């Protein structure tokens, strides 16, 4: 009887700390041994000349979700997770979205049953909190957190989702008390809607005006404000999809003074600019919030990823088709205010960063692994089960051909969007075989995993959740602090 169910033999294994030649021995879905010259496995996979990397963890993606504007995503839990796996990602953390008036309990039941039936890789959930009433904050949210959903997103903009400052503080106080991370979509709603209202009145309705209305200042203002709110109650936060030098600088400064704030950026802020949107109605393909900016902002994002102001790199996969079901509810007459926001990116997240980050020498392989896998797992309470290659960890692995050249086309990809914002890009490096808990799910162009094989991941409290212990003195003296600073 062989010692291992699977041995991936002869590759260069890269983790968050080192790259080294090693075989990987897998037993019962976990990594059982890491060393050269392992005994023969029941199954042998030749990885000579290849890199063996931890499967990516995508901690920001929207799957089979009703968007903030009430539009259903193009991808369901099957197509999205298949697409993720083809791109070298083996864990996703999408959102269960509460809309105003929704019961969190019902929302969770609904998303859980759909994901359980269809997901082909493992998944956790974040919540979106748009209805922070007594029932949600005092009862349903603590129960959800205790069940392993240790993060939730709040919005400072979008008519149907946004919370005002006092509600944000209520949510942060609940998160602090029960041990969850608050993710924030930080854009100033008033600035955007004031400008957008005027643009539309003047007949300026093409996608390019979306990028103009979502000003850099609106991001910087909201990030500064939400950091101040988080500081008031000493609640760790993670600002999602940061796009501007000004926003990154707010995070950098707050971190320097000891505030527990993390930043995230996404492929669209490294590889697209507002010029991509400025092509008439087709520009809708590139419309997301915040919008892509300019080359200087791209550089600032790269710098933020290098120096830690930006902690993780996620896809913010928000897939909508270029038709009436998604981006263009009124066809050619759709104004930028009416089109669903978001771009697809689950499958290309890793290949883009590998090619333009690692292969160009901007990032080391360890930085690549950290930004695409390890830090996501660490921050969101999945490490070391996910996000690394270590004895005892799940055997979630991607074998990369570091020299494989790929020209991106929509047809190459497996999501249901029907387009990619990155069409025509020439990439070097591609995940050719992907394993989830030791089971091969991707073999070149073939998908081998069955719907429903993905497991829900109960996440544990991570270090990211520990308050910095520096809330303002007046607050820490309050007797009620740490007990019910609640609505
Ligand atoms: O435009 C975007 N990013 N759409 C997805 C929803 C969100 O705000 O993350
Ligand atoms: Zn957002
Ligand atoms: Zn998002």
């Amino acid at each position: 009887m062989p010692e291992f169910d699977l041995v991936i033999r002869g590759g260069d294994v890269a983790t968050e700390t080192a790259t080294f030649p090693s075989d990987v021995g897998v037993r019962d879905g976990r990594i059982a041994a890491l060393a050269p010259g392992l005994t023969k496995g029941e199954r042998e996979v030749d990885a000579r000349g290849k890199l063996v990397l931890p499967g990516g963890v995508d901690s920001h993606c929207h799957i089979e979700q009703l968007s903030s504007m009430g539009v259903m995503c193009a991808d369901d839990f099957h197509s999205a997770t298949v697409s993720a796996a083809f791109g070298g990602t083996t864990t996703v953390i999408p959102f269960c979205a509460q809309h105003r008036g929704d019961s969190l309990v019902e929302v969770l039941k609904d998303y859980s049953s759909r994901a359980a039936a269809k997901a082909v890789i493992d998944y956790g959930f974040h919540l979106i909190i748009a209805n922070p009433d007594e029932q949600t904050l005092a009862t349903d949210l603590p129960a959800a957190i205790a069940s392993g959903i240790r993060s939730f997103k709040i919005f400072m903009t979008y008519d149907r989702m946004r919370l005002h400052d006092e509600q944000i503080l209520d949510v942060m106080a609940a998160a602090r008390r029960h041990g969850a991370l608050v993710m924030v979509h930080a854009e100033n709603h008033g600035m955007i809607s004031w400008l957008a209202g005027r643009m539309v009145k003047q007949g300026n309705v093409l996608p390019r005006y979306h990028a103009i209305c979502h000003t850099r200042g609106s991001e910087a203002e909201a990030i500064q404000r939400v950091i101040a709110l988080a500081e008031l109650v000493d609640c760790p936060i993670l600002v999602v999809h940061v796009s501007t030098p000004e926003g990154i600088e707010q995070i950098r400064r707050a971190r320097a003074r000891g505030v527990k704030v993390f930043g995230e950026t996404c492929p669209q802020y490294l590889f697209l600019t507002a010029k991509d949107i400025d092509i008439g109605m087709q520009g809708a393909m590139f419309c997301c919030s915040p919008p892509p900016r300019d080359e200087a902002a791209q550089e600032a994002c790269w710098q933020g990823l290098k120096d830690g102001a930006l902690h993780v790199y996620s896809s913010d996969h928000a897939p909508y088709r270029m038709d009436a079901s998604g981006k263009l509810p009124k066809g050619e007459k759709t104004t930028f205010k009416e089109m669903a926001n978001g771009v697809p990116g689950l499958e290309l997240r890793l290949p883009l960063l590998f090619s333009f980050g690692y292969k160009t020498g901007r990032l080391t392989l360890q930085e690549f692994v950290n930004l695409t896998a390890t830090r996501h797992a660490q921050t969101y309470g999945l490490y070391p089960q996910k996000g690394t290659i270590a004895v005892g960890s799940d055997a979630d692995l991607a074998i990369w051909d570091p020299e494989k050249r790929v020209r991106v086309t929509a047809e190459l990809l497996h999501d249901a969007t029907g387009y990619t914002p990155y069409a025509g890009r020439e990439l070097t490096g591609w995940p050719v075989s992907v394993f989830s808990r030791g089971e091969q799910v991707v073999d070149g162009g073939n998908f081998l995993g069955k719907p429903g094989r993905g497991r829900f991941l109960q996440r544990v409290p991570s270090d990211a959740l520990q308050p910095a212990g520096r809330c303002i003195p007046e607050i820490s003296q309050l007797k009620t602090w740490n007990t019910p600073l609640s609505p």
Side-chain angles (χ1 to χ4, degrees), residues 331-408:
E332 291 293 305
K333 293 207 166 66
T334 307
T335 70
F336 72 88
K337 282 302 286 171
E338 295 160 325
M339 61 188 53
N341 282 196
V343 292
L346 256 178
E347 193 162 343
L348 289 176
R349 177 179 73 112
L350 270 68
L352 285 165
L353 198 73
F354 189 92
S355 193
F356 298 119
Y358 168 58
K359 291 296 280 187
T360 59
R362 273 184 183 272
L363 300 176
T364 65
L365 202 47
Q366 277 54 59
E367 286 168 329
F368 174 83
V369 169
N370 267 300
L371 289 168
T372 57
T374 313
R375 286 208 200 124
H376 299 256
Q378 288 169 337
T379 308
Y380 290 103
L382 290 171
Y383 186 85
Q385 181 187 357
K386 303 290 188 190
T388 191
I389 299 180
V391 173
S393 296
D394 283 357
D396 284 9
L397 304 161
I399 302 179
W400 284 68
D401 178 344
E403 305 306 330
K404 187 174 161 82
R405 297 183 71 107
V406 172
R407 185 164 192 278
V408 174

Side-chain angles (χ1 to χ4, degrees), residues 8-14 18-24 34-38 47-52:
I8 298 175
R9 197 172 292 282
D12 280 330
V13 170
T19 304
F20 49 94
S22 181
D23 301 338
V24 183
L34 268 180
L38 292 182
R48 280 173 302 170
K50 308 276 196 317
L51 289 169
V52 183

Side-chain angles (χ1 to χ4, degrees), residues 60 153 155 185 240-241 289 316:
H60 184 166
K153 183 174 176 188
F155 288 82
H185 179 129
V240 294
H241 47 50
S289 295
D316 192 9

